[in-house]
Amino acid sequence: RKVAVRYVLLPLLPMIFGILLSGLNMCMGGSATSCEECLLIHPSCAWCAQEDFGRGRTLTSRCDFSQNLQKRGCESQFIEFPSSSTSVLKNVPLSSKGSGPTQYDVTQIMPQKISLSLRPGDQTWFEVQVRQVEDYPVDLYYLMDLSLSMKDDLDTIRNLGTKLAQEMGKLTSNFRLGFGSFVDKNMSPFSYTAPKYQENPCNGYKLFPNCVPSFGFRHILSLTDKVDRFNEEVQKQMVSRNRDAPEGGFDAILQASVCKERIGWRKEAYHLLVFATDDVPHLALDGKLGGLVQPHDGRCHLDGNNEYSASTMMDYPSLALLGEKLAENNIYLIFAVTKRLYVIYKNFTALIPGTTVEILDQDSKNIIQLIINAYNNIRSKVELTVWDHPEDISLSFTATCQDGQPLPGLRKCADLKIGDTVSFNVSVEARSCPPRGTDQSFTIKPVGFKDRLEVAVDYRCDCSCSRTARANSSICSSIGTYNCGTCRCEPGYLGARCECQEGETSSMYLSACREAEGKQVCSGRGECSCNQCLCYESEFGKIYGSFCECDDFSCARHKGILCSGHGECHCGECKCHAGYIGDNCNCSTETSPCISDDGQMCSGRGSCVCGRCQCTEPGAFGDTCEKCPTCPDACGTKRYGCIECRLFNSGRLADNQTCQRLCKDEIITVETLKTDDPGAVLCLYKTDNDCVMKFTYSEHANGQSVLTALQEPECGGGPDAMMVLLAVVGSILLVGIVLLAAWKLVITIHDRREFARFQSARSRARYEMASNPLYKHPISTHAVETDFNMYGKSYNGGVH
């Protein structure tokens, strides 16, 4: 379905490009003088081949967007506008099983052949599907290092064939096995070359005194389904001995890959090459140590004894050559190496596609499980490669694996099960046009598969109107070639119809090229030729007009962009697109971005200028001036718009949709409200039940408005009337008692003072009225006695 949509949209892309780029008309600015030049400017450019198009003194470009050409009077049948396209030539459905009577017609990639017509700069797409079919035949060639250090490994694999066939039989019903071995080049300094070592390189070696002469590569058993033959041949093998640590395994890999007939690789089978060794390989240029300067030619060099005959004539193959030959012959290479070599061979896998590495035990006892794991790993992934990729074509891949998610830039799917189908969308774009008559093609091929997609390419670089070009046409005064609506004049002739000769510069012609008397000829930006101005080319843009008085680059700019990108430059003046105004078209007339959530223009705190709010209320900010903690109405707005409707689901805005639309602030409820934050505004209001609700309003640095509110409004208890009355009466009585006590205290103090004053006066009076006690009149005897009785004690001493 995705592919179908893409193919529907594909023809519309140039038109879409034209609409998007209408403000930057590179087609007219490219100064194309022919249809072919126009098509190369941009894939959205079209050419008008209509004969009478653009007649008049103003030089009109025939190269423009197709919709512009139609508006300017070019009929659709005269518009040259080729586009890229894809044609499927062969599309056999994918197979579901690999063995059985249909094994020779198995298809694992779809389609198998397509044709692309590419216009430079214009993209086209096609889809590739790949499936790992079940029960696919397998050819496994076991290539073993038979240097002396591998002696214990040779003992281990003597019955490998039977066991391996049993395990592989669980994965495929069609399995064949082959065997080959290698040591190194039988020459110095890679091997022992002294006469005493010719027949027995182990001569004098106490640990193992007998071994066979060194050899480069020896093909021992061609691929066969008779596993007993494998066991028999392995039983016959003996190890050899080379001189240096690295082995000549890459020589052996290359021969096992390219000698297809000798090895017995089947076309309809997976090709597995198991490379077992316990040391590093010799690489290209190592052969120079032995005087081998000839690079490897990549060909098969097995002699009549199935031995590598060019071992001492050519250098070791390079990694690039190995990768090329392995891919060319659809061979998966499995490095079975000891643990200490794992990292080295892992690096090789990054340079050789379709290669895996597994850790081999010291005596190869885990070789069967190793091969099974490697085989399952190979069957669990699909990776596409491109062969014969033309330099002027760019490819980009998008993989869609089992999860169905597109993965741009990837051409590989992993973690697959046998029978899974994956797809790849391939985008193709031609960057240029090759020489006429050049045929291009390339191949897309899954790594290790025989199946491939062949892609033929032809280029849409020529215009169909060029096929009817007429030499010496009467339209061109019989001295030029009429081609796609224009004349190509013979040397020495000029004009739209070749009507003038060079050098005709009389005063009559020159006056026709001046905008007014005293003005420069062609405004100083062109030459007068054949009664009309031919404008100079400019690196800044196009110069045009009857007198070259106009251009498309001298208009006002905004941030370096001509007419702000929202208009077209016409003769020094910006012609703004709909919805924009201003000298440089930078001011949008759109007001919808200024409408706040409550439907007001700039929240009633500013004005909309050029599509943006300019806040006039002090303290207001935000895209629509919606934020203003210090505004007089801020507390009221947040009360009705957030606190009441969202927190308590009450108030006039309690409708959920309205509340959710207006209130986008973060609301935090607390038991105790802190009011010491200097950046927060304290708001409070009285509720319907005479309680007081408090909250603070603040703005975080990230632009988020935050309301911190009490969980519940603060409410006080109502007064008890009886208690108030008793308290008042009690207070009055208490005050009266206190006043009486104070009055009584004052009176008592005053009385005591008066009484004391009285007692003092009385005492003085009594003393004055009394007789002198020192003198007693005789007549007053009784009185003296009486006085004595009263004062006898006091004056007892005085009587005597």
Side-chain angles (χ1 to χ4, degrees):
R1 187 179 303 168
K2 296 178 182 176
V3 177
V5 172
R6 284 179 174 172
Y7 283 127
V8 170
L9 291 178
L10 190 58
L12 300 178
L13 286 178
M15 184 179 299
I16 296 172
F17 283 140
I19 295 172
L20 294 176
L21 298 173
S22 58
L24 299 172
N25 197 330
M26 76 292 292
C27 302
M28 295 183 65
S31 301
T33 59
S34 68
C35 182
E36 284 75 16
E37 289 180 4
C38 176
L39 300 184
L40 288 175
I41 293 175
H42 193 272
S44 61
C45 296
W47 177 268
C48 180
Q50 187 171 314
E51 179 183 344
D52 58 353
F53 178 76
R55 285 287 180 87
R57 295 189 60 188
T58 302
L59 298 178
T60 303
S61 175
R62 292 177 175 269
C63 186
D64 201 348
F65 302 128
S66 59
Q67 63 270 25
N68 290 351
L69 292 175
Q70 291 183 6
K71 291 178 182 177
R72 289 162 52 197
C74 186
E75 298 179 14
S76 58
Q77 65 265 28
F78 294 106
I79 294 179
E80 295 285 339
F81 186 55
S83 60
S84 299
S85 62
T86 302
S87 299
V88 178
L89 305 180
K90 185 178 180 181
N91 195 26
V92 178
L94 296 173
S95 303
S96 58
K97 196 169 184 179
S99 296
T102 62
Q103 71 177 67
Y104 298 107
D105 297 320
V106 173
T107 302
Q108 297 185 98
I109 186 171
M110 183 179 74
Q112 296 80 38
K113 184 178 293 186
I114 64 174
S115 175
L116 302 179
S117 293
L118 302 180
R119 175 178 174 177
D122 188 22
Q123 286 188 342
T124 186
W125 294 267
F126 61 87
E127 185 181 55
V128 180
Q129 291 186 333
V130 182
R131 177 186 295 166
Q132 293 261 27
V133 301
E134 299 179 8
D135 197 24
Y136 200 72
V138 176
D139 288 347
L140 188 150
Y141 191 78
Y142 193 85
L143 185 58
M144 184 175 183
D145 178 2
L146 284 188
S147 60
L148 188 58
S149 58
M150 294 286 287
K151 181 180 181 304
D152 54 344
D153 301 78
L154 181 60
D155 295 336
T156 302
I157 70 165
R158 295 194 185 279
N159 294 314
L160 173 66
T162 303
K163 299 177 181 178
L164 185 57
Q166 291 174 352
E167 293 298 324
M168 290 298 294
K170 301 175 183 178
L171 304 175
T172 176
S173 61
N174 196 335
F175 175 68
R176 297 202 310 176
L177 186 61
F179 182 69
S181 62
F182 66 91
V183 181
D184 205 346
K185 295 182 182 296
N186 191 15
M187 61 184 298
S188 181
F190 313 114
S191 299
Y192 293 97
T193 58
K196 66 176 181 178
Y197 297 122
Q198 290 295 320
E199 297 298 327
N200 183 11
C202 298
N203 188 8
Y205 187 64
K206 296 181 179 179
L207 295 177
F208 192 77
N210 295 308
C211 57
V212 299
S214 297
F215 56 92
F217 165 66
R218 183 176 294 154
H219 169 52
I220 300 171
L221 178 65
S222 297
L223 291 165
T224 177
D225 55 1
K226 298 178 174 57
V227 295
D228 292 339
R229 288 285 315 282
F230 180 90
N231 296 336
E232 293 174 4
E233 293 298 334
V234 173
Q235 294 285 348
K236 301 175 184 178
Q237 302 309 308
M238 294 181 61
V239 295
S240 183
R241 184 187 182 195
N242 60 322
R243 190 169 190 173
D244 57 356
E247 318 291 3
F250 279 7
D251 270 341
I253 292 175
L254 185 62
Q255 294 303 300
S257 301
V258 299
C259 299
K260 297 182 289 186
E261 291 76 13
R262 295 285 191 95
I263 303 299
W265 296 116
R266 291 178 293 178
K267 185 177 180 181
E268 294 77 16
Y270 280 112
H271 301 160
L272 305 184
L273 178 58
V274 180
F275 178 81
T277 184
D278 64 349
D279 223 319
V280 297
H282 275 298
L283 304 176
L285 301 182
D286 285 357
K288 290 189 175 182
L289 296 174
L292 302 179
V293 296
Q294 180 181 349
H296 205 290
D297 60 8
R299 298 178 181 177
C300 177
H301 293 281
L302 290 185
D303 59 18
N305 296 322
N306 283 332
E307 290 197 11
Y308 178 38
S309 60
S311 178
T312 58
M313 293 184 289
M314 288 187 293
D315 193 9
Y316 298 97
S318 64
L319 291 173
L321 182 60
L322 277 182
E324 176 186 342
K325 295 303 178 181
L326 288 169
E328 183 180 309
N329 295 283
N330 309 320
I331 295 175
Y332 288 105
L333 176 60
I334 303 171
F335 288 123
V337 299
T338 53
K339 187 174 183 180
R340 69 181 181 87
L341 303 176
Y342 180 80
V343 174
I344 296 175
Y345 281 89
K346 186 66 175 177
N347 293 334
F348 289 156
T349 64
L351 302 173
I352 307 176
T355 306
T356 60
V357 59
E358 299 287 344
I359 297 177
L360 183 68
D361 288 347
Q362 291 294 335
D363 57 358
S364 296
K365 62 183 178 182
N366 68 327
I367 188 63
I368 294 179
Q369 189 59 44
L370 181 152
I371 293 173
I372 299 299
N373 293 342
Y375 175 77
N376 289 331
N377 183 34
I378 291 169
R379 293 300 304 273
S380 69
K381 60 187 178 183
V382 170
E383 180 178 3
L384 298 185
T385 58
V386 181
W387 288 71
D388 303 322
H389 187 180
E391 294 183 358
D392 61 343
I393 292 179
S394 64
L395 300 175
S396 60
F397 292 80
T398 298
T400 303
C401 303
Q402 287 306 105
D403 58 0
Q405 297 297 321
L407 303 172
L410 290 183
R411 58 173 74 181
K412 177 180 179 180
C413 286
D415 300 325
L416 304 177
K417 294 182 293 185
I418 295 176
D420 287 345
T421 303
V422 295
S423 64
F424 301 87
N425 288 324
V426 186
S427 172
V428 188
E429 178 182 346
R431 293 188 290 266
S432 62
C433 289
R436 283 182 172 84
T438 303
D439 293 329
Q440 301 277 28
S441 64
F442 60 92
T443 301
I444 295 178
K445 179 174 169 299
V447 175
F449 285 53
K450 71 174 180 65
D451 305 78
R452 63 188 64 203
L453 167 61
E454 297 177 358
V455 183
V457 181
D458 67 85
Y459 295 82
R460 305 293 299 274
C461 297
D462 297 327
C463 298
S464 58
C465 57
S466 297
R467 302 168 191 163
T468 58
R470 300 193 299 272
N472 300 321
S473 171
S474 59
I475 300 175
C476 302
S477 305
S478 300
I479 48 176
T481 301
Y482 181 74
N483 185 17
C484 295
T486 62
C487 288
R488 292 187 180 180
C489 304
E490 297 292 337
Y493 292 89
L494 302 172
R497 295 293 179 257
C498 307
E499 67 272 23
C500 300
Q501 284 186 288
E502 292 182 355
E504 296 181 356
T505 57
S506 66
S507 59
M508 180 184 67
Y509 288 140
L510 292 177
S511 62
C513 293
R514 286 189 176 95
E515 188 174 6
E517 190 65 31
K519 292 280 189 178
Q520 288 182 297
V521 175
C522 297
S523 304
R525 303 200 293 180
E527 295 180 357
C528 185
S529 176
C530 197
N531 208 27
Q532 65 180 2
C533 287
L534 299 179
C535 303
Y536 297 136
E537 292 185 357
S538 173
E539 60 180 334
F540 302 107
K542 182 182 180 182
I543 300 174
Y544 61 97
S546 299
F547 308 100
C548 302
E549 74 278 11
C550 297
D551 60 58
D552 61 0
F553 53 83
S554 296
C555 294
R557 297 172 182 265
H558 178 65
K559 295 183 178 179
I561 301 177
L562 193 68
C563 298
S564 305
H566 302 303
E568 296 182 8
C569 182
H570 288 288
C571 209
E573 182 181 354
C574 285
K575 302 295 183 182
C576 301
H577 298 157
Y580 291 91
I581 58 175
D583 292 340
N584 53 14
C585 303
N586 70 322
C587 186
S588 173
T589 59
E590 181 65 38
T591 59
S592 58
C594 299
I595 305 298
S596 58
D597 290 337
D598 58 2
Q600 298 186 74
M601 184 69 69
C602 298
S603 304
R605 302 182 181 127
S607 57
C608 188
V609 179
C610 295
R612 300 184 66 181
C613 282
Q614 290 186 356
C615 304
T616 56
E617 182 77 24
F621 62 98
D623 292 339
T624 57
C625 305
E626 74 280 6
K627 300 178 180 180
C628 185
T630 59
C631 288
D633 61 340
C635 287
T637 301
K638 298 302 179 183
R639 167 191 172 182
Y640 296 114
C642 283
I643 297 298
E644 286 189 348
C645 73
R646 265 188 59 188
L647 194 59
F648 298 111
N649 195 26
S650 63
R652 63 192 185 195
L653 301 176
D655 174 42
N656 287 335
Q657 294 183 351
T658 304
C659 185
Q660 293 298 327
R661 179 173 59 84
L662 294 179
C663 183
K664 298 179 181 179
D665 302 337
E666 179 184 359
I667 302 179
I668 303 174
T669 57
V670 295
E671 293 183 358
T672 303
L673 187 67
K674 296 181 180 180
T675 60
D676 54 354
D677 185 359
V681 177
L682 176 63
C683 301
L684 52 88
Y685 64 90
K686 188 175 181 180
T687 63
D688 294 338
N689 55 359
D690 294 330
C691 297
V692 176
M693 182 61 194
K694 297 180 180 179
F695 66 91
T696 60
Y697 171 30
S698 61
E699 297 285 344
H700 278 186
N702 61 2
Q704 177 73 34
S705 299
V706 179
L707 304 179
T708 305
L710 291 173
Q711 292 179 349
E712 297 291 341
E714 294 181 347
C715 300
D720 190 340
M722 183 60 68
M723 292 299 294
V724 172
L725 178 62
L726 291 176
V728 172
V729 172
S731 298
I732 293 174
L733 291 176
L734 180 62
V735 171
I737 293 172
V738 171
L739 291 175
L740 287 175
W743 180 78
K744 180 65 177 176
L745 179 62
V746 172
I747 295 299
T748 301
I749 293 174
H750 179 267
D751 290 347
R752 286 184 179 181
R753 287 179 178 175
E754 292 297 323
F755 180 75
R757 191 178 294 114
F758 170 76
Q759 288 289 358
S760 176
R762 181 181 177 189
S763 298
R764 286 196 302 272
R766 185 181 296 171
Y767 181 76
E768 293 174 354
M769 296 176 60
S771 298
N772 187 353
L774 297 180
Y775 177 78
K776 303 296 182 180
H777 196 276
I779 298 176
S780 56
T781 303
H782 179 71
V784 170
E785 289 177 354
T786 304
D787 294 334
F788 176 76
N789 291 333
M790 294 176 62
Y791 304 102
K793 292 183 182 181
S794 302
Y795 298 98
N796 189 29
V799 176
H800 295 287

